[in-house]
């Protein structure tokens, strides 16, 4: 379907018995015809079949009660006369139907056509609505609400197979409501490109005349209002609201005008008190007005606070002559459905206005019956256009029928008027000359004691209702811009659309999205993948498909039609919507007890189908303006949903990368019992990480870090830093040296930024702790990271005084390490700043809350992790949270053996023998052979190349660890000795007999260690 309304025509318009003609026969036989038939025609055929219409037995109903002189007819008559002259002598028939499809007017290019055509094509009054006449130009234009062409066999009725037509809805320019349909019918062979242009121009002409009618009516109301005030007493009491603008700023004027529009639209008569923001109260008075031609309207006046008694009323602007004002036509633009008086003009007095009495006559200003007052001139104030005659003017009243105005006396900037009549409700009014020093005695009815009245707005209730509805639509769109898209969550964005539309536009809203969109992907088949996502309305309990359930729409449903055409589909009356009713008769019947009108709108953004939104209304039916509003709301929401979908897709990828780069499991070791948690931020994924690294000597390294920033770059950088940190740790560097190497790496990554703008890694924080179970000591250092928490076995929680150090990447500053004693059973808690830093919480208070959560040493690390997340972590974290809890264990002294010896080769055999006895006592005889050779080589190398004191230590845990230390810093190197070399094979033998070996440097020397696998032994 084409948005402009000009649908592309299929090849072969049934002129040769092929094309749509054969396809129509296939359709009537129940065969699929999805290709070769325009979407609008096929949809209409399906609706006709759902209604049970028969193409060869369609009897059109005839309405005798149609209005031959209605508003649309008055506007269309001169336009149709011109069209008839344009197509004179041709076989074109011209018709105008009302909004229900009843033909009201007919014209013929050749008048002799009336003798050969059937009555249904000649006589007005027949109904051509689609539900009774099948597929035809008038009925389809009303159903599709746009320009429609129907050719030959595309008609559903057999009798129309030889005809073609083009039809276009005609709308009221003020309300946007469809007032009728203009249709041009012609034989199939009379196809002209000018037909589309002609019908558009003719429809615009009718719409201009409809606008002219509305404008003339409202101008008549204003002239009557002003003329009514010309003969009443105390004219100086009526002053326009703009004339006292100093008393009412623009904000207050807008408030008063908005309330006045509500009073007009509701046709409310009476007085309403409006409280302004500064506390002042202004009374708005609603008064009926009837023009000389019978146009009824409402005038809204503001009763302004009057001056003190005895002081004359001073009008701040020079008043115009009332007679000249009432005799001048006041222009009205199409965008203003109600009238406000121009600045400086006198408004109506407080006396009664011209209204109709009970007998249909009029009541004069003084309450007496008399002729209708009108100051409209004999000529029309509307300029005539070349396309059509000007709108007829209101009938002019003779001068004798007008009430004369009293004389006006001006004195500089002060102007007063001297009344010439009396007001029966207030008694006689005395003169009040400008500049007079006369004081009115107390208790006397001074005219200056009465409050002034100012005209705020004047208009017809129906037009006022349209203006109020238009303003509320704008307010709804403005509200939508702030309410929809506040988060990057697909489901929540859909909920925001529903919450904005109900009850502002609809009573109930359902939104269906494909599962793929909810996951952040693009659905390959969105129609078959829809799932009910949101159901929202003014009340609950309606029989809508509940959220989470799959929804399947039939081929004739409005939802599927809107997805196929990418346009909103309006069903004003669901009781007559055959496609909707046929989807699930039992379900729709239950739903019809609650809803009566539907707008289905596709959710499309950047060429991606994201789902469908359905707006239901239980009261008044939807109109075209509602459809446009729903389309705009859905378009805005679709962009937000697509943004959320894209974000969800990217976040899923980053989160997958983040989890992939984090440890998948914990290494086997006996030093600590570890539990960990990683909680990504709600808004974006950052670069937090943790790690547990087994080290030599039964020690274990605990690492927690946080890369600055969020997104893919932070996650990738985290992976690089974690890999580097693990490598530095496995080289047995102490914590402060590990941080120094990481600091250099981050600085190098910044310098290698390809853009050179510093958009890459800004920095990172890190905390590294090494726990030694043999000494029950922990050495820690941190780089700009939050301090760890230590939970003592007695439940005491402390935060060690650990130097903060600069964040990684600044460079040039040292890091300090601190050693802390950790008795067996203590817990070491490491975390990132996302746990404690939150914009709505104080860090010190959170640390105290963390202290309380950790003060349970009997908890296992897993339970401690969960308790911390439940009580300390923010409900909606803005940053990632990495948490690592380690309960430390001490190594049994019976599993540790130590020997110290001098640099004497004779001592090697002695220590070796003692070690074998120690291993035999523990049932490690099978491991003794490898351990004996390893100790022999390591001790010999220490004596030959090292310095005293020399120490030997055996650690019996998951593996057997052999350690030999000396006071020298010389580094051993593994090399392959030549066949003629006498030495150089010691470390090679150690590497072959052990599963791993290495060197650990100490402040006073080094340790060479080797691990033997007990299972292998």
């Amino acid at each position: 379907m084409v948005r402009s309304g000009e649908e592309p025509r299929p090849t072969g318009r049934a002129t040769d018995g092929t094309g749509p003609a054969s396809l129509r026969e296939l359709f009537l036989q129940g065969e699929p015809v999805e290709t070769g038939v325009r979407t609008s025609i096929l949809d209409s055929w399906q609706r006709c079949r759902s209604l049970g219409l028969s193409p060869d037995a369609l009897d059109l109903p005839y309405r005798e009660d149609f209005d031959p002189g209605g508003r649309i007819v008055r506007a269309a008559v001169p336009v149709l006369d011109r069209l008839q002259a344009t197509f004179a002598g041709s076989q074109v028939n011209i018709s105008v139907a009302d909004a229900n499809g009843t033909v009201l007017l007919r014209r013929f290019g050749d008048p002799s056509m009336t003798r050969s055509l059937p009555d249904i094509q000649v006589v007005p009054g027949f109904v051509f609505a689609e539900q009774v006449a099948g597929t035809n130009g008038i009925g389809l234009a009303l159903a599709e609400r746009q320009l429609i062409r129907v050719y030959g066999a595309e008609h559903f009725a057999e009798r129309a197979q030889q005809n073609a037509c083009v039809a276009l809805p005609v709308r009221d320019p003020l309300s946007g409501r469809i007032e009728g349909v203009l249709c041009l019918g012609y034989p199939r062979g009379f196809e002209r490109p000018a037909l589309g242009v002609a019908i558009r121009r003719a429809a615009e002409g009718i719409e201009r005349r409809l606008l002219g009618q509305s404008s003339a009516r409202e101008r008549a109301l204003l002239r009557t209002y002003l003329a009514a005030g010309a003969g009443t007493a105390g004219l100086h009491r009526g002053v326009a609201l703009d004339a006292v603008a100093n008393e009412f700023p623009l904000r207050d004027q807008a408030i008063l005008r908005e309330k006045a529009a509500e009073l007009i639209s509701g046709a409310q008569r009476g007085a309403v008190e409006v409280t302004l923001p500064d506390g002042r109260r202004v009374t708005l008075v609603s008064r009926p007005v009837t023009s000389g031609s019978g146009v009824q309207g409402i005038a809204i006046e503001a009763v302004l606070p009057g001056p003190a008694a005895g002081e004359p009323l001073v009008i701040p602007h020079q008043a115009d002559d009332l007679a000249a004002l009432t005799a001048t036509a006041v222009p009205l633009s199409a965008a203003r459905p109600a009238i406000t008086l121009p600045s400086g003009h006198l408004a109506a007095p407080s006396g009664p206005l011209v209204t109709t009495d009970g007998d249909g006559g009029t009541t004069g200003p003084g309450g007496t019956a008399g002729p209708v007052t009108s100051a409209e001139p004999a000529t029309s104030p509307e300029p005539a256009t070349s396309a059509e005659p000007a709108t007829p003017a209101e009938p002019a009243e003779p001068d004798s029928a007008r009430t004369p105005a009293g004389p006006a006396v001006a004195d500089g900037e002060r102007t007063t008027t001297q009344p010439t009549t009396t007001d029966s409700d207030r008694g006689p009014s005395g003169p009040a000359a400008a500049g007079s020093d006369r004081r009115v005695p107390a208790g006397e009815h001074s005219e200056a004691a009465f409050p002034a009245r100012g005209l705020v707005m004047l208009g017809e209730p129906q037009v006022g209702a349209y203006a109020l509805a238009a303003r509320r639509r704008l307010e709804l769109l403005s509200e939508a811009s702030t309410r929809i898209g506040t988060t990057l969550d697909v489901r929540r964005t859909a909920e925001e659309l529903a919450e904005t539309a109900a009850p502002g536009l609809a009573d109930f809203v359902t939104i269906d999205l494909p599962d793929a969109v909810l996951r952040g992907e693009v659905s390959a088949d969105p129609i078959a993948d829809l799932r009910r996502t949101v159901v929202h309305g003014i009340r609950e309990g309606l029989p809508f498909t509940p959220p989470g359930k799959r929804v399947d729409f039939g081929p004739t449903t409005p939802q599927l039609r809107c997805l196929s055409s990418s346009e909103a589909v309006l069903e004003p009356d669901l009781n007559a919507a055959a496609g909707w009713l046929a989807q699930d008769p039992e379900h729709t019947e239950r739903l019809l007890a609650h809803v009566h009108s539907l707008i289905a709108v596709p959710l499309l953004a950047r060429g991606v189908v994201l789902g469908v939104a359905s707006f239901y209304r239980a009261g008044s039916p939807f109109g075209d303006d509602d459809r446009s509003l729903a389309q705009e709301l859905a378009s805005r929401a679709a962009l937000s949903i697509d943004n959320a979908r894209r974000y969800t897709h990217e976040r899923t990828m980053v989160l997958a990368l983040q989890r992939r780069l984090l440890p998948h499991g914990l290494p086997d070791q006996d030093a600590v019992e570890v539990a960990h948690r990683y909680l990504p931020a709600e808004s974006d994924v950052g670069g937090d990480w943790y790690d547990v690294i087994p080290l030599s000597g039964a020690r274990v390294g605990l690492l927690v870090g946080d890369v600055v920033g969020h997104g893919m770059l932070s996650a990738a950088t985290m992976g690089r830093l974690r890999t580097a940190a693990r490598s530095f740790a496995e080289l047995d560097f102490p914590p402060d040296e590990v941080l120094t190497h990481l600091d250099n790496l981050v600085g190098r990554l910044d310098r290698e930024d390809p853009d050179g703008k510093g958009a890459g890694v800004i920095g990172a924080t890190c905390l590294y702790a090494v726990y030694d179970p043999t000494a029950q000591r922990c050495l820690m250092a941190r780089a700009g990271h939050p301090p760890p928490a230590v939970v003592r076995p007695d439940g005491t929680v402390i935060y060690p005084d650990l130097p903060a150090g600069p964040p990684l990447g600044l460079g040039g500053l040292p890091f300090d390490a601190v050693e802390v004693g950790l008795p067996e059973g203590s817990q070491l808690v490491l975390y990132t700043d996302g746990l404690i830093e939150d914009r709505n919480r104080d860090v010190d208070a959170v640390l105290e809350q963390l202290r309380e959560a950790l003060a349970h040493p009997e908890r296992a690390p897993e339970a401690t992790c969960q308790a911390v997340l439940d009580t300390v972590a923010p409900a909606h974290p803005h940053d990632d949270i990495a948490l690592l809890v380690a309960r430390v264990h001490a190594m049994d002294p019976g599993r540790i053996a130590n020997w110290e010896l001098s640099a004497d080769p004779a001592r090697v055999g002695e220590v070796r023998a003692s070690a074998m006895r120690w291993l035999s006592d523990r049932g490690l005889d099978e491991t003794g052979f490898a351990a004996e050779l390893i100790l022999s080589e390591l001790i010999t190398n220490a004596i030959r190349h090292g310095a005293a004191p020399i120490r030997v230590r055996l650690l019996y845990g998951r593996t057997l660890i052999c350690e030999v230390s000396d006071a020298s810093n010389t580094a051993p190197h593994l090399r392959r000795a030549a066949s003629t070399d006498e030495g150089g094979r010691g470390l090679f033998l150690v590497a072959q007999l052990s599963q791993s070996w290495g060197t650990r440097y100490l402040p006073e020397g080094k340790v060479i260690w080797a691990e033997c696998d007990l299972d292998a032994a």
Side-chain angles (χ1 to χ4, degrees):
M1 196 174 296
V2 181
R3 291 185 61 92
S4 65
E6 295 281 1
E7 290 192 294
R9 295 174 298 180
T11 58
R13 300 191 304 276
T15 58
D16 54 358
T18 61
S22 58
L23 291 174
R24 176 177 174 276
E25 296 302 325
L26 291 175
F27 174 82
L28 294 176
Q29 295 171 10
E31 299 294 333
V33 290
E34 282 73 12
T35 59
V37 181
R38 290 181 293 155
T39 304
S40 60
I41 300 298
L42 182 58
D43 289 344
S44 180
W45 287 355
Q46 292 171 338
R47 291 194 294 268
C48 295
R49 183 168 60 183
S50 300
L51 291 170
L53 300 181
S54 175
D56 54 358
L58 283 178
D59 296 327
L60 303 188
Y62 179 79
R63 294 187 56 184
E64 297 182 353
D65 59 345
F66 73 93
D67 186 4
R71 186 165 177 250
I72 184 69
V73 173
R74 297 197 308 271
V77 165
V79 179
L80 263 63
D81 290 341
R82 290 196 303 274
L83 279 176
Q84 184 178 25
T86 301
F87 294 105
S90 68
Q91 297 296 305
V92 175
N93 65 83
I94 308 159
S95 59
V96 169
D98 62 14
N100 297 318
T102 303
V103 174
L104 306 176
L105 285 174
R106 285 197 179 275
R107 295 287 191 274
F108 302 92
D110 184 358
S112 64
M113 294 172 59
T114 57
R115 296 191 295 270
S116 60
L117 293 176
D119 288 345
I120 61 171
Q121 296 183 10
V122 176
V123 180
F126 284 96
V127 180
F128 283 80
E130 184 187 61
Q131 56 266 32
V132 295
T135 306
N136 68 91
I138 294 176
L140 192 52
L142 288 174
E144 296 290 334
R145 312 178 85 81
Q146 63 176 347
L147 186 143
I148 287 295
R149 297 178 185 269
V150 183
Y151 305 98
E154 291 181 336
H155 289 87
F156 193 75
E158 293 285 355
R159 62 172 176 268
Q161 298 298 296
Q162 301 302 317
N163 301 323
C165 62
V166 56
L168 180 66
V170 177
R171 289 177 169 82
D172 185 330
L174 285 179
S175 67
R177 181 180 59 193
I178 291 180
E179 293 288 338
V181 176
L182 176 62
C183 181
L184 302 181
Y186 49 90
R188 289 190 313 185
F190 188 81
E191 175 63 26
R192 300 288 187 276
L195 290 175
V197 178
I199 196 171
R200 288 185 183 278
R201 291 182 177 175
E204 291 173 358
I206 298 175
E207 290 175 351
R208 283 197 302 271
R209 291 184 58 80
L210 289 173
L211 177 62
Q213 290 179 14
S214 300
S215 302
R217 294 162 65 91
E218 292 184 344
R219 285 197 299 272
L221 286 176
L222 180 59
R223 285 190 289 270
T224 303
Y225 179 89
L226 297 176
T232 56
L235 177 63
H236 58 281
R237 298 180 192 138
V239 59
L241 181 62
D242 288 345
V244 286
N246 292 333
E247 294 294 328
F248 294 98
L250 294 177
R251 178 187 60 178
D252 295 347
Q253 294 181 42
I255 294 174
L256 295 176
R257 289 193 176 102
E258 181 176 1
K259 186 62 180 178
E262 293 181 6
L263 294 176
I264 293 175
S265 64
Q268 303 176 22
R269 182 174 182 177
V272 177
E273 188 175 64
V274 181
T275 302
L276 299 177
D278 59 3
R280 288 189 299 171
R281 292 184 173 88
V282 176
T283 302
L284 295 182
V285 179
S286 173
R287 303 166 66 85
V289 183
T290 303
S291 71
S293 60
V295 179
Q296 295 183 353
I298 299 292
I300 306 299
E301 298 173 329
V303 180
L304 311 182
E311 297 183 4
L313 179 69
V314 178
I315 301 176
H317 294 284
Q318 183 70 30
D320 296 335
D321 181 67
L322 185 61
L325 176 64
T326 57
T328 304
V330 181
L332 175 68
S333 65
R336 297 182 60 187
I339 297 176
T340 54
L341 203 62
S343 177
H345 288 171
L346 293 177
S350 57
L353 296 178
V354 179
T355 60
T356 57
D357 58 20
D359 299 329
T362 58
T363 303
T368 60
V372 177
T373 61
S374 176
E376 186 171 356
T379 58
S380 171
E382 292 186 89
T385 64
S386 59
E388 56 179 299
T391 303
E394 297 285 342
E397 297 291 340
D399 293 340
S400 59
R402 302 174 186 167
T403 307
V409 181
D411 181 13
E413 289 299 319
R414 298 190 302 171
T415 304
T416 60
T417 58
Q418 183 170 344
T420 58
T421 61
T422 61
D423 189 325
S424 59
D425 293 332
R426 293 193 298 269
S429 302
S436 173
D437 294 331
R438 175 179 179 268
R439 296 290 183 265
V440 180
E444 190 172 313
H445 288 280
S446 167
E447 297 187 26
F450 287 93
R453 291 175 181 258
L455 176 65
V456 179
M457 190 173 290
L458 184 146
E460 293 181 84
Q462 290 181 343
V463 179
Y466 297 145
L468 186 63
R471 183 166 61 251
R472 287 177 176 170
R473 290 188 181 100
L474 290 176
E475 292 173 353
L476 185 62
L477 289 176
S478 176
E479 180 184 2
S481 64
T482 58
R483 290 188 59 181
I484 300 177
T486 59
T487 69
L488 287 173
D489 180 80
V490 174
R491 194 180 305 273
R492 179 56 193 154
T493 305
E495 292 174 352
E496 290 170 346
L497 168 60
E499 293 168 358
T500 302
L505 170 64
D507 296 325
F508 305 95
V509 179
T510 64
I511 298 177
D512 308 310
L513 303 178
D515 286 333
V517 172
L518 295 173
R519 297 192 304 266
E521 304 169 2
V522 177
S523 177
D525 187 2
I527 296 177
D529 191 27
L530 287 176
R531 187 175 298 276
R532 179 59 45 86
T533 305
V534 177
V535 176
H536 180 75
I538 58 178
R539 63 179 182 275
E540 297 179 354
L542 267 67
F544 288 109
T545 301
K549 297 291 186 179
R550 293 290 298 272
V551 289
D552 296 316
F553 295 114
T556 61
T557 56
Q559 287 86 352
L560 196 62
R561 285 160 51 201
C562 80
L563 288 175
S564 301
S565 64
S566 301
E567 293 288 343
V569 173
L570 168 63
E571 291 288 358
D573 185 6
L574 287 177
N575 290 280
W580 185 79
L581 294 171
Q583 177 188 6
D584 186 349
E586 181 180 353
H587 175 73
T588 54
E589 183 178 357
R590 288 185 285 115
L591 200 56
L592 278 176
H594 306 280
V595 297
H596 306 292
S597 190
L598 164 67
I599 300 176
V601 188
L603 297 174
L604 302 173
R606 304 179 180 96
V608 177
V609 178
L610 302 172
V612 60
S614 302
F615 302 88
Y616 295 89
R617 184 176 286 180
S620 58
F622 287 117
D624 280 335
D625 286 343
D626 298 315
R627 180 174 64 170
S628 299
L629 178 59
Q631 181 86 56
E632 180 65 23
L633 285 176
S635 297
R636 297 188 181 192
L639 286 174
S640 298
I641 292 176
D642 191 50
N643 289 338
R645 179 194 65 80
R646 288 168 171 244
Y647 166 77
T648 302
H649 179 68
E650 180 179 347
R651 186 176 187 273
T652 302
M653 293 177 57
V654 175
L655 188 58
L657 174 64
Q658 174 85 331
R659 294 191 182 280
R660 183 68 180 172
L661 294 176
L662 288 174
H664 292 181
L666 298 178
D668 294 332
Q669 44 80 36
D670 296 324
V672 294
E673 178 187 354
V674 180
H676 56 85
R677 292 289 189 278
Y678 171 73
L679 184 65
E682 283 192 352
S683 58
D684 205 350
V685 179
D688 292 15
W689 88 91
Y690 59 88
D691 208 347
V692 179
I693 308 170
L695 301 176
S696 64
R699 298 170 306 138
V700 63
L702 303 174
L703 191 65
V704 172
D706 181 7
V707 175
V708 176
H710 297 84
M712 187 73 73
L713 177 62
S714 296
T717 305
M718 177 274 293
R720 300 174 71 177
L721 290 184
R722 174 178 171 258
T723 301
R726 188 179 186 91
S727 300
F728 296 145
E730 289 179 344
L731 290 175
D732 270 327
F733 291 145
D736 53 337
E737 291 190 25
V738 170
L739 295 183
T740 301
H741 288 296
L742 289 177
D743 180 56
N744 295 333
L745 173 62
V746 173
R748 185 165 61 253
L749 293 177
D750 271 334
R751 292 190 298 271
E752 293 175 355
D753 178 17
D755 296 332
K757 301 178 181 178
V761 180
I762 299 176
T765 64
C766 185
L767 170 62
Y768 181 38
V770 177
Y771 173 68
D772 186 353
T774 62
Q776 301 180 37
R777 306 289 294 178
C778 184
L779 185 63
M780 298 179 286
R782 61 179 177 139
H785 202 83
V790 175
V791 183
R792 300 288 187 182
D794 59 358
T796 304
V797 180
I798 63 171
Y799 297 102
D801 186 12
L802 183 62
L808 300 177
L810 296 183
L813 298 176
F815 300 95
D816 296 326
V818 172
E819 192 172 52
V820 178
L822 294 180
E824 183 174 12
S826 300
Q827 289 188 359
L828 184 63
V829 181
L830 288 71
Y831 51 88
T832 56
D833 56 1
L835 178 67
I836 61 173
E837 293 183 4
D838 185 73
R839 65 189 68 177
N840 300 319
R841 302 187 299 174
D842 181 71
V843 174
D844 293 336
V846 176
L847 289 175
E848 187 60 33
Q849 190 178 6
L850 177 61
R851 187 194 303 271
E852 296 175 0
L854 295 176
H856 299 276
E858 72 282 359
R859 286 178 180 159
E862 285 287 343
T864 301
C865 280
Q866 194 60 45
V868 170
L869 291 183
D870 292 341
T871 60
V872 182
H876 303 283
H878 297 283
D879 195 6
D880 291 15
I881 297 175
L883 178 63
L884 191 66
V885 178
R887 172 177 285 172
V888 301
H889 299 293
M891 179 170 281
D892 184 358
R895 290 175 171 262
I896 305 175
N898 291 282
W899 295 273
E900 185 172 343
L901 65 156
S902 61
D904 184 1
R907 296 291 309 276
V908 175
E910 179 183 341
V911 173
R912 186 172 57 210
S914 299
M916 292 304 101
R917 288 193 299 270
W918 187 85
L919 292 175
S920 179
D921 293 342
R922 286 154 182 79
L924 301 177
D925 296 303
E926 295 183 2
T927 313
F929 176 74
E932 183 179 10
L933 290 179
I934 290 173
L935 288 176
S936 178
E937 291 296 332
L938 293 181
I939 295 173
T940 301
N941 283 342
I943 293 175
R944 288 183 178 180
H945 306 290
I950 298 173
R951 297 183 177 89
V952 177
R953 186 172 70 162
L954 294 180
L955 302 177
Y956 173 28
R958 291 178 179 270
T959 60
L960 178 64
I961 303 175
C962 305
E963 294 184 347
V964 177
S965 63
D966 65 82
S968 172
N969 289 325
T970 57
H973 296 286
L974 177 65
R975 65 186 182 89
R976 185 180 299 273
S979 58
T980 57
D981 291 341
E982 295 183 0
R985 297 175 177 84
L987 288 181
F988 179 77
L989 291 175
V990 171
Q992 295 299 314
L993 293 172
S994 64
Q995 68 177 19
S996 62
W997 73 279
T999 304
R1000 179 172 72 250
Y1001 291 91
L1002 305 174
E1004 65 281 1
K1006 66 177 182 298
V1007 176
I1008 302 177
W1009 56 270
E1011 286 190 14
C1012 296
D1013 190 350
L1014 300 180
D1015 294 336

